[in-house]
Amino acid sequence: SPVALLGSGTMRRAAAVAAAARRSLSRPPPRWSSTRQRAAMTRVAAAASARRGACSAAAAAADGHQHLEASARRGFLPAESRAARPRLDQGGPGLLLLEHLNLNVRSTAAGDAFYGGLLGCTRDPRRGPAKTPHHNCGAMTQFHTASPATEEAVEQQGPQVWMGIVTVCYSPGEFASLLDRVSAWRRDPPKAMADTKFAVDDIDESSGKIRVTCPYGNRFELREATEAEQRALGGSVGRRPGSLPSRPVGIAEVAVEVPRGRTGEIAEFYRTVFGFAVTEDEEGVSGRRATLHASGPTAGGQKLTFVEVDDPPASTGEHLALYIGNFEETFSRCLDRGAVWVNPRFIHLDNATDIDSARSYQQFRIRHMLRPKDHESHGEPIFMLEHEVRSVMHKSCPLAGETDADPKGRHPHLQSTPYTLPGGITAVDHRIEVPLNWADGADANTISVYAREVFRSEAAPKRDELPVLLFLQGGPGYPSPRPPAPSSGWMKRALEEYRVLLLDQRGTGLSTALNAGSLERLSGSSDPAAQASFLSHFRQDSIVRDAEAMREALGTKAVTLLGQSFGGFCILSYLSFFPESVEAAVFTVGLAPVGATVDEVYSHTYRRVYERNRRYYQRYPMDEDRVREIVEHLKENDVRLPSGGLLTPRRFLQLGLALGSRTGMETLHYLVESAWDAGAISSSASGRSLSYTFLREVEAMQNFDTNPIYWLLHEAIYVDGGRAEEKMGRRMEAHASSWSADRVLKQMLGEMPEFDYSEIRPDRPVYFTGEMVYPWM
């Protein structure tokens, strides 16, 4: 993934850099093709971030703008949720799954009524209302129909009608319910079926078969599933990630009607090019047929049958999608025959023209079955049928995902209807349900994760074609910014080319939120140790898994990441866990110090804070006395904040956190100069009181009670790894932070006495601390 590392003050430029990085991908980078290369990619990712994602760390940001642009070929390592399961044999040939049929219909409403209301399919919840509906037919198979945006084109060109009969199978109980539904529809068809080709052609209870025709002429046979079909398609060997339960077991057989005399050559094509198991037989007056049999985990569960007829229907552009074994060799044989084809309608999904691009997409297409080069009629098609051919390494492969026994990865996805913000911006709210503990599949506890998607209203018709920019907020413990209306700054620039996804990280904002009132309730305990264990599920490793689940819910292949401060820490974890899902990564300031101890981090950070204090007093020398007076006053008096909290010298000096921002010196200066009640004439701190405005501003700048994750997990993000290992040429021992900032400060007071407020001297300024947390807080 192209990576850009930007210095401070560059958020607006970051969006432009992200766009440039995306445009630099003139063609998909090749997939790592060898075990050695994959291992190298893994080592690179491990060196960049703690592989377990529990805690990486951030170095103090250097001043000025540093640019580092590097590009690396995508690793396409399997997602962790798949890697944990036994991998399918990549070497053996075979038809592993006939996964979906693409059948454009004239009306989305009629399609939903037929596929959902009658057949009992469920729409994939990850597909928005503007996207092509994917009707889940069982755990692993689907029907893809037209989206609202394509209805007009379908009206002009006509709907797609499959060239044969599609067989859908059901469990015995579901088939009985189906029989009741079909009988009811036969007596009183729904209004959506009026003036269409919908028909109940036959109900044969003796044979247990039902024949129906969809509103646009597609023919279906519905029957009970065999034991082999139930075993192969029922969810025990795989399940589409994010799928919802549906009534069918799956698509059991797809028949294609072909001209007489063609099945022999079709059988030869699939045997020699795809390596499929094919049988040929005669069947009475219907003529010869060639049947492709599923193998591997779905053996006995599916068939693709070519049947010879006198007057076969013409193709209307429909296609089928197959998952196969021996992917690369099959692609090479299709390429050798000249059969590889790029569909201009789906060029955004695959543009495989050589082995490298096929490896990248993990899929390719053919349109015609062609004769071999040594055939006298080479170049003339045997038959036309578009195939979308996928490897089991494809990101959507149900065989490489969850099973009924392993339900990880199923994340119910809710999204709002689009709503408009001022300035020509449209927003959509997304919410998914994810495991509290991603590492424990037996833990049934879940939490909610929220994200707001924003895009230019004028781009709404092509919303699904826009690349996604996922913003990762700084913190930890803070939600994403709310989009300004109208847009401005970096977001305005990003919206020129992206739809922007603003993720509220778990525990923040509109996600399941942790605050002073909810920690005990959500953790289910008042015991600090139990609460600490609960909080361990709110670190980078969990955040990036949530983000990946949200990406899958949106149905986008890869995202560009933009990380601000702690968001950059999350990017390193994202690149370590899910490199295949990242198109480009842009860090702004936040880069974790891999290979350094947390004490080393704070030692360097205190020196940076020391330098920022020196510059602050150099700019505002009058504040030296003002700060000394405030600290003396707080040492001698019990000063309460408006909420009742105690303002101590060390709490006041924590306001140095502001010195890390662009306008922080001014913020601190204006606060300090207005510290005392107006009208006071004494030149000393005695007899004066701090103003309510000052106290209220101090309280507002220290909102740890509304964002406790920031304080509770702050030091944890700086700890690199959870076990002893070699990193960057050093032996790194497993350790906890153990209040590192507090320990290191005490050790450095001899070198930097300005941080010691216990002794106020007129010849020495009192220095503020920075972005640190302390046990006394």
Side-chain angles (χ1 to χ4, degrees):
S1 305
V3 175
L5 174 63
L6 305 180
S8 58
T10 55
M11 285 295 291
R12 186 174 301 177
R13 289 174 47 239
V17 171
R22 181 175 61 84
R23 287 194 298 269
S24 72
L25 298 173
S26 58
R27 78 175 208 167
R31 179 190 179 86
W32 295 102
S33 58
S34 73
T35 302
R36 181 177 299 176
Q37 288 172 315
R38 292 188 187 188
M41 182 64 182
T42 304
R43 287 194 297 273
V44 170
S49 170
R51 286 216 53 192
R52 302 195 183 277
C55 22
S56 295
D63 289 333
H65 304 301
Q66 290 184 331
H67 295 270
L68 172 62
E69 294 188 11
S71 62
R73 299 165 78 190
R74 287 196 206 174
F76 280 91
L77 303 177
E80 183 164 303
S81 60
R82 300 176 193 165
R85 294 187 63 236
R87 293 284 304 282
L88 292 168
D89 180 9
Q90 300 295 300
L95 169 60
L96 301 180
L97 179 67
L98 199 164
E99 190 256 358
H100 76 252
L101 300 182
N102 203 89
L103 301 169
N104 281 348
V105 299
R106 190 174 285 131
S107 165
T108 304
D112 286 349
F114 178 80
Y115 289 100
L118 185 65
L119 299 190
C121 301
T122 56
R123 283 187 60 163
D124 190 324
R126 300 170 300 171
R127 308 288 297 179
K131 291 187 175 182
T132 300
H134 289 183
H135 301 277
N136 290 328
C137 182
M140 296 196 293
T141 61
Q142 289 184 328
F143 297 103
H144 295 185
T145 57
S147 67
T150 61
E151 284 183 1
E152 184 177 349
V154 175
E155 184 69 33
Q156 295 174 354
Q157 301 170 10
Q160 293 176 339
V161 180
W162 190 256
M163 301 174 289
I165 296 175
V166 179
T167 300
V168 178
C169 60
Y170 296 78
S171 67
E174 285 294 350
F175 186 74
S177 298
L178 174 70
L179 188 61
D180 291 339
R181 289 198 305 276
V182 173
S183 299
W185 279 44
R186 189 182 217 179
R187 292 191 303 268
D188 185 18
K191 291 182 179 179
M193 300 297 106
D195 301 319
T196 71
K197 295 183 179 180
F198 168 74
V200 177
D201 303 307
D202 185 38
I203 300 178
D204 188 346
E205 295 189 39
S206 62
S207 66
K209 294 181 179 179
I210 301 171
R211 291 283 184 96
V212 296
T213 300
C214 89
Y216 303 105
N218 289 293
R219 296 168 287 163
F220 292 86
E221 180 175 286
L222 316 175
R223 59 169 174 78
E224 287 190 16
T226 66
E227 289 185 7
E229 290 165 346
Q230 186 84 278
R231 182 178 60 253
L233 303 175
S236 62
V237 300
R239 180 176 291 278
R240 174 177 298 281
S243 67
L244 295 177
S246 62
R247 292 182 165 183
V249 171
I251 300 173
E253 182 175 2
V254 174
V256 183
E257 296 173 352
V258 301
R260 294 198 181 275
R262 296 292 176 86
T263 55
E265 288 188 291
I266 290 173
E268 182 276 337
F269 178 83
Y270 281 111
R271 285 195 190 100
T272 58
V273 177
F274 282 82
F276 288 172
V278 184
T279 59
E280 299 178 71
D281 55 49
E282 297 272 1
E283 188 170 320
V285 296
S286 65
R288 292 183 59 84
R289 59 174 54 211
T291 303
L292 284 57
H293 300 270
S295 60
T298 58
Q302 283 189 310
K303 294 186 288 187
L304 175 58
T305 303
F306 293 86
V307 183
E308 294 184 359
V309 297
D310 289 328
D311 189 17
S315 171
T316 54
E318 63 277 9
H319 76 252
L320 54 80
L322 308 173
Y323 283 92
I324 67 168
N326 214 13
F327 175 81
E328 293 187 13
E329 289 78 359
T330 301
F331 173 81
S332 298
R333 287 193 290 267
C334 286
L335 191 66
D336 183 61
R337 285 210 183 189
V340 172
W341 178 64
V342 175
N343 189 333
R345 284 184 57 213
F346 300 110
I347 199 168
H348 59 292
L349 297 178
D350 59 79
N351 185 15
T353 56
D354 56 31
I355 190 63
D356 282 340
S357 54
R359 287 169 180 157
S360 175
Y361 291 113
Q362 287 301 300
Q363 73 177 46
F364 66 93
R365 294 175 192 262
I366 67 170
R367 190 182 191 188
H368 293 99
M369 304 174 200
L370 297 178
R371 296 178 173 91
K373 286 184 176 180
D374 58 359
H375 194 281
E376 59 182 9
S377 299
H378 172 67
E380 295 181 10
I382 303 167
F383 187 69
M384 186 176 79
L385 174 62
E386 182 179 346
H387 294 51
E388 184 177 356
V389 185
R390 293 177 174 178
S391 157
V392 293
M393 292 292 290
H394 190 279
K395 66 183 183 69
S396 298
C397 180
L399 296 169
E402 60 187 70
T403 67
D404 281 346
D406 177 23
K408 291 183 291 182
R410 243 178 288 175
H411 313 299
H413 174 214
L414 300 176
Q415 62 178 326
S416 71
T417 56
Y419 55 95
T420 303
L421 302 175
I425 303 300
T426 297
V428 178
D429 297 333
H430 297 272
R431 187 176 297 279
I432 59 175
E433 185 177 324
V434 298
L436 168 66
N437 182 1
W438 279 98
D440 184 2
D443 188 347
N445 294 313
T446 62
I447 60 172
S448 173
V449 173
Y450 167 87
R452 191 191 317 267
E453 175 190 357
V454 292
F455 51 90
R456 290 179 296 113
S457 299
E458 64 186 31
K462 296 186 177 180
R463 166 190 167 197
D464 295 339
E465 299 176 14
L466 293 174
V468 175
L469 178 71
L470 172 60
F471 179 77
L472 293 167
Q473 171 67 23
Y478 286 84
S480 268
R482 274 34 189 166
S487 61
S488 59
W490 71 267
M491 192 173 298
K492 180 179 181 180
R493 174 64 184 86
L495 289 174
E496 293 177 10
E497 298 188 42
Y498 293 91
R499 46 185 174 136
V500 176
L501 193 63
L502 302 169
L503 178 73
D504 281 356
Q505 297 168 14
R506 57 169 51 200
T508 74
L510 296 179
S511 297
T512 299
L514 289 181
N515 53 46
S518 68
L519 178 58
E520 181 173 337
R521 173 174 54 84
L522 292 173
S523 64
S525 176
S526 59
D527 176 57
Q531 292 181 354
S533 177
F534 175 76
L535 286 163
S536 70
H537 304 310
F538 290 80
R539 299 180 293 193
Q540 292 99 295
D541 55 333
S542 296
I543 291 170
V544 300
R545 286 184 168 98
D546 295 344
E548 178 68 1
M550 186 66 75
R551 179 197 65 77
E552 290 183 348
L554 265 64
T556 185
K557 184 176 181 180
V559 295
T560 292
L561 301 176
L562 174 58
Q564 185 266 327
S565 189
F566 169 73
F569 292 34
C570 294
I571 287 181
L572 282 187
S573 291
Y574 211 129
L575 289 170
S576 178
F577 280 79
F578 306 108
E580 75 281 0
S581 298
V582 181
E583 184 174 54
V586 182
F587 297 78
T588 62
V589 181
L591 185 64
V594 177
T597 67
V598 63
D599 286 5
E600 289 172 324
V601 170
Y602 277 116
S603 177
H604 288 292
T605 304
Y606 274 120
R607 289 183 172 86
R608 301 297 302 163
V609 175
Y610 187 93
E611 176 62 17
R612 296 296 287 181
N613 273 276
R614 186 192 67 77
R615 294 187 187 184
Y616 167 66
Y617 286 126
Q618 185 179 49
R619 183 177 298 183
Y620 299 109
M622 69 290 290
D623 285 356
E624 283 194 24
D625 290 337
R626 291 169 174 167
V627 171
R628 272 194 292 262
E629 290 176 359
I630 293 172
V631 171
E632 286 180 336
H633 180 80
L634 295 175
K635 289 176 64 176
E636 297 169 1
N637 297 275
D638 187 325
V639 177
R640 296 288 167 170
L641 295 168
S643 66
L646 181 64
L647 181 59
T648 61
R650 59 191 181 185
R651 179 169 181 175
F652 163 68
L653 293 172
Q654 279 193 298
L655 296 174
L657 175 63
L659 295 177
S661 65
R662 184 185 302 172
T663 60
M665 291 185 183
E666 285 60 52
T667 298
L668 200 55
H669 167 68
Y670 296 135
L671 178 67
V672 167
E673 73 173 4
S674 63
W676 304 103
D677 273 333
I681 58 176
S682 173
S683 60
S684 68
S686 61
R688 292 192 290 175
S689 62
L690 294 169
S691 71
Y692 178 85
T693 300
F694 170 81
L695 296 175
R696 183 66 186 85
E697 286 298 315
V698 169
E699 194 169 59
M701 293 172 69
Q702 297 180 330
N703 55 345
F704 301 118
D705 54 341
T706 58
N707 302 85
I709 289 178
Y710 177 84
W711 178 79
L712 293 166
L713 294 183
H714 193 87
E715 282 199 356
I717 71 174
Y718 292 92
V719 180
D720 185 11
R723 62 185 187 279
E725 57 185 326
E726 289 288 337
K727 287 194 175 183
M728 313 298 278
R730 304 174 57 188
R731 175 71 176 174
M732 299 290 292
E733 297 295 334
H735 64 282
S737 64
S738 302
W739 301 111
S740 175
D742 188 59
R743 289 186 292 98
V744 171
L745 178 59
K746 292 174 181 176
Q747 296 166 7
M748 299 184 72
L749 287 180
E751 177 186 346
M752 303 176 181
E754 291 85 351
F755 286 118
D756 186 1
Y757 63 87
S758 62
E759 181 184 358
I760 305 298
R761 292 172 38 174
D763 62 338
R764 187 175 71 195
V766 179
Y767 275 10
F768 293 89
T769 54
E771 193 171 11
M772 296 90 173
V773 297
Y774 300 97
W776 50 262
M777 292 171 62

